[in-house]
């Protein structure tokens, strides 16, 4: 049977956890509240206890207690998730990784770091700066590396550096029986045995709890940014296809639709032509980029783009990427009292223009307020609704159609936010019943008691016994 | 219990397979012999029947027959494996993928192809040529894409394009119960559910039989090659570290040790300084590379390298890479009657020089004949023994020490050849007992009857019933 919470067994588990961890096991209401939600629109749900282990061995002890009393256990990183993955919807234990915050090792020659699950992305990059290396995966928020691993995060520069799946070399994981498993190695490639690492990346803590991560680092690149407006949204997308096909080294390429450019013009510190717009970052030295700029300008112009604007390496570039980071919160600011609901589909890039145009038209017909931003080089875009409580149902409908449209085009319900709570219902439509059954059998094999983050990713397994 | 071959049940299975497939099910001795071995030194073992399905649906029917009679079933691609993964060591059915040879779809705009498991690498690239795209993973042999998927292949340009794991987007797999599972999507990234795709990549057909693969394509690059000799082997390796740290776009970088350069000088069509040597391929236009060449030359010189030789885009470059491809067979030619035994470890790059030097010294002490080539940018190298029958035991010993040395340095027993038969015994030393137990529980969950390529990757599971 599923982990069920009788008051009695939960009380026993709580008592054992407090004995084990002292003040690092808390049942204070304010602490519980802090672990009841993430940055998503999903309903909040309090855990019964929050634990803050400092070592993998402590995590193993905690999981053993959870297993003994069949109490659900859900890992909590920075709380910056967008699909409810860290919300303990069946209560139980919230395992906060914040104290697993050690940067265990930086091997600059190997371009590898080993970090605790609770280490934050920006903190890591601050420590790395003097090595000339950085960890590229950038979901925007100052997420924990453990959380990014478990959601399979990516972000603006995945087009260049790949997603978490490609940047995680190995893991330390506590499995449902409290065993400590080490996966992968420090070698940059391996064909040795089943790929346990990738099994846990993106599993949202439903197959095991990630406590340490070995990640690939990359040299900090020379980068030059640019932007251009386009007569049509389709033109903007097609320009990206051609630039990629030409093999040019794009570090980032972000699409902002016309309504979002309107937000910039009203709220930002600069004025852009009121057109669908691409923000580019090219990697290479200034002379290399200069040598490419004619090619890029020609491709952009061919697709109805304005001449490329190159803000130069200083303030202009900083402003461009800060604008990209902040524009969605400005948009929310324009609708006081509104909540954000970011869809997160990814489609084959040839279908991207159509899917975006149909989505934009659907939103316009609905009368809802939404903005489209896209990691266009990957075919991933977000239609971000800013909605008032009375619009929630309508948002759910339009948002559902976005997912259906993406799946019909051969794409995925989640490019980078994970399945969490919001996308479970689309899993079978995307993957088919056989694949979901296989996922379920993996869940049963690895978590027969169903204690690990129950209610996430796949529908709960049938009981093992 | 494991799949066991009673004469009776095997005969029944064979009869059903012949009814299903007619002439595409063969028990002819010459056909059985063709499926008894690969290019490795491992002992050959005949299957009882060879089947050649033409569709995924046929594969599913075949697996159902295998399951009904509990007959082992082992997939066979091009037969170019180097660890015995395709050898049916318990007999039974050899499933030859050669007729799953359809290039199902090339989506040039998406830079994706979907191919049958039996499609050969070079055939695919021939078909792709007019699109300006190619599939980069290059293990040397004209392997099948299905075989490359199942061994987790890589090769000379993985340093630039990644390994199979990173270039497979999705799969069609027949599972042990004869179900057809589709994994992944045509989107370039996804965080939707457990990563079934990566579970099957590198699993050598022990968890399911791969019938179709969706792969990433890449623009055919401008590429310029170069080579340099180094006073020391360590200098050659350290130059590579610095070039990578400088963020320069290496397409390939191959190390050849001094004895192997000797082979080139005796057998090839050009003369090189008798030094440990690096072959480079840089990606970019001629003007881009020209802009970088001073930096590269400085790094090479700093590490005791000769001035870089640039053979130019024509014949010289072709000769350079043909030499790399052929030099190991020339080496074998120098020892008539010898067999090849290629070790295949991968270590963190900072440990590479030490591990290679210790290996070279160990080989020299042993008096055996062996050559070291390395995909140095990844930390992967092969110490390739050319041995006579009476030296086999000694080769196994020295080869075992190479693996132990690599694991002690934080590396892996297999960079790209897979586990197959040869590396099973090191799995626990590399991954630990807990990780191997987890792998075994995956095997039991997905193949409870133990019919899929028994005796490979992990030790056989305990029976489910």
């Amino acid at each position: 049977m599923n982990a069920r919470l009788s008051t009695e067994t939960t009380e026993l588990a709580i008592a054992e956890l407090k004995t084990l961890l002292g003040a690092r096991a808390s049942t204070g209401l304010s602490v519980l509240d802090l672990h009841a939600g993430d940055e998503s629109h999903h309903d909040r749900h309090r855990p019964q206890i929050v634990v803050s282990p400092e070592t993998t061995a402590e995590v193993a002890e905690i999981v053993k207690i959870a297993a003994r009393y069949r109490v659900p256990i859900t890992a909590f990183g920075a709380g910056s998730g967008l699909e409810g993955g860290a919300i303990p919807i069946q209560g139980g234990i919230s395992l906060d990784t914040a104290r697993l915050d050690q940067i265990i090792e930086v091997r600059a020659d190997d371009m590898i770091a080993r970090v605790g699950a609770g280490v934050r992305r920006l903190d890591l990059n601050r420590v790395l700066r003097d090595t000339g290396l950085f960890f590229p995966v950038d979901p925007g928020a100052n997420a924990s590396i453990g959380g990014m691993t478990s959601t399979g995060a990516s972000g603006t520069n995945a087009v260049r550096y790949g997603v978490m799946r490609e940047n995680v070399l190995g893991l330390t994981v506590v499995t449902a029986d409290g065993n400590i498993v080490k996966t992968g190695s420090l070698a940059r490639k391996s064909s040795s045995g089943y790929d346990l690492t990738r099994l846990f990346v993106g599993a949202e803590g439903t197959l095991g709890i990630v406590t340490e991560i070995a990640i690939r680092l990359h040299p900090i690149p020379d980068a030059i940014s640019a932007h251009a407006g386009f007569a049509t949204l389709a033109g903007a997308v097609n320009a990206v296809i051609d630039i990629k096909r030409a093999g040019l080294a794009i570090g980032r390429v972000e699409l902002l639709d016309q309504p979002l450019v309107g937000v910039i013009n009203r709220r930002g510190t600069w004025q852009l032509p009121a057109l669908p717009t691409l923000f580019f970052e090219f990697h290479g030295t200034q002379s290399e980029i200069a040598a490419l700029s004619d090619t890029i300008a020609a491709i952009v112009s061919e697709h109805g783009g304005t001449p490329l604007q190159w803000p130069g390496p200083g303030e202009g570039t900083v402003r461009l990427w800060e604008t990209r980071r902040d524009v969605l919160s400005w948009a929310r600011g324009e609708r006081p009292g509104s909540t954000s609901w970011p869809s997160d589909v990814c489609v084959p890039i040839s279908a991207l223009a159509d899917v975006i145009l149909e989505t934009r038209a659907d939103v316009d017909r609905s009368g809802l307020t939404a903005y489209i931003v896209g990691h266009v080089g990957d075919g991933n875009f977000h239609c971000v609704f800013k909605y008032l409580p009375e619009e929630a149902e309508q948002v759910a409908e339009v948002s559902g159609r976005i997912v259906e449209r993406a799946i019909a085009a051969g794409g995925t319900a989640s490019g980078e936010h994970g399945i969490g709570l919001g996308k479970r219902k689309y899993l079978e439509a995307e993957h088919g019943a056989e694949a979901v059954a296989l996922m379920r059998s993996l869940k049963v094999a690895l978590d027969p008691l169903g204690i690990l983050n129950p209610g996430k990713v796949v529908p709960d397994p049938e009981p093992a016994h």
Side-chain angles (χ1 to χ4, degrees), chain A residues 196-222:
Chain A
L196 299 180
T197 304
R198 251 54 56 174
L199 187 63
F200 292 108
V201 174
E204 305 184 12
T206 62
L207 300 178
I209 294 180
V210 172
T211 61
E212 288 178 19
I213 306 107
I215 48 182
R216 290 188 182 204
L217 307 176
H218 300 261
I220 296 173
D222 288 320

Side-chain angles (χ1 to χ4, degrees), chain A residues 304-432:
Chain A
T306 63
L308 275 167
Q309 304 295 313
W310 302 85
E315 208 177 302
T317 291
V318 170
R319 184 179 57 189
L320 187 148
W321 292 109
E322 284 185 352
T323 298
R324 168 64 188 87
R325 186 191 64 198
D326 296 336
V327 63
L328 285 164
S329 58
W330 298 343
R332 189 166 165 195
E334 291 196 336
R335 262 206 124 187
S338 67
T339 302
S340 265
W341 180 319
S343 71
D344 169 42
V345 297
C346 188
V347 297
I349 199 169
S350 66
L352 185 60
D354 284 350
V355 172
I356 288 183
L357 290 174
E358 287 165 29
T359 298
R360 186 70 258 174
D362 196 3
V363 169
D364 290 345
R365 274 192 305 273
S366 75
L368 293 166
T369 302
Y371 305 92
I372 291 176
V373 288
H375 311 317
V376 219
D378 293 315
N380 182 205
F381 76 93
H382 308 297
C383 179
V384 186
F385 296 89
K386 304 293 179 182
Y387 69 101
L388 301 174
E390 61 270 25
E391 296 166 327
E393 202 171 316
Q394 207 188 348
V395 169
E397 276 168 30
V398 180
S399 186
R401 286 199 292 274
I402 296 173
V403 174
E404 286 157 16
R405 209 172 282 131
I407 292 174
T412 173
S414 178
E416 56 185 19
H417 295 170
I419 291 297
L421 289 167
K423 299 290 172 56
R424 277 172 104 199
K425 59 173 173 269
Y426 302 108
L427 213 63
E428 192 160 317
E430 177 176 342
H431 297 282

